[in-house]
């Protein structure tokens, strides 16, 4: 890599306030707010809306859409086209 053209790659804490979950990783993202981590060091902290701790897909609370019901409701509302299917 060429020196001087890449952003600084440093430890950063990402915090999901909705789930009360935080994790330390390395990133080029920067933040003005800081937090004291479990190891006693101070790191920049970035608050996120959703993480794997609060996303419905990862938590198992995702809803499965009833696609057959949606098609039937569409056909009831707008009628079937002649010669379809």
């Amino acid at each position: 890599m060429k020196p001087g053209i890449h952003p600084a790659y440093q430890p950063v804490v990402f915090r999901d306030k909705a789930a009360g979950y935080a994790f330390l990783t390395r990133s080029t993202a920067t933040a003005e707010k800081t937090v004291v981590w479990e190891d006693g060091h101070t790191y920049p902290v970035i608050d996120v809306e959703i993480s794997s701790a609060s996303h419905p897909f990862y938590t198992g609370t995702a809803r499965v859409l009833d696609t057959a019901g949606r098609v039937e409701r569409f056909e009831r509302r707008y009628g079937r086209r002649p010669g379809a299917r």
Side-chain angles (χ1 to χ4, degrees):
M1 293 194 311
K2 285 186 175 181
I5 64 168
H6 298 285
Y9 191 63
Q10 61 191 3
V12 177
V13 174
F14 286 91
R15 180 173 53 190
D16 181 356
K17 286 192 166 187
Y21 176 71
F23 58 94
L24 177 66
T25 187
R26 293 177 52 95
S27 176
T28 59
T30 59
E32 293 183 16
K33 293 191 289 184
T34 60
V35 68
V36 176
W37 190 244
E38 300 162 355
D39 62 3
H41 291 93
T42 303
Y43 298 106
V45 63
I46 297 175
D47 292 323
V48 293
E49 299 284 327
I50 288 185
S51 70
S52 60
S54 62
H55 193 280
F57 179 79
Y58 294 106
T59 59
T61 60
R63 295 183 316 210
V64 177
L65 293 177
D66 178 22
T67 55
R70 296 179 105 191
V71 171
E72 291 168 1
R73 187 172 53 217
F74 178 83
E75 289 177 350
R76 277 196 316 268
R77 183 177 294 163
Y78 299 107
R80 292 189 76 173
R81 293 184 311 164
R85 282 197 235 172

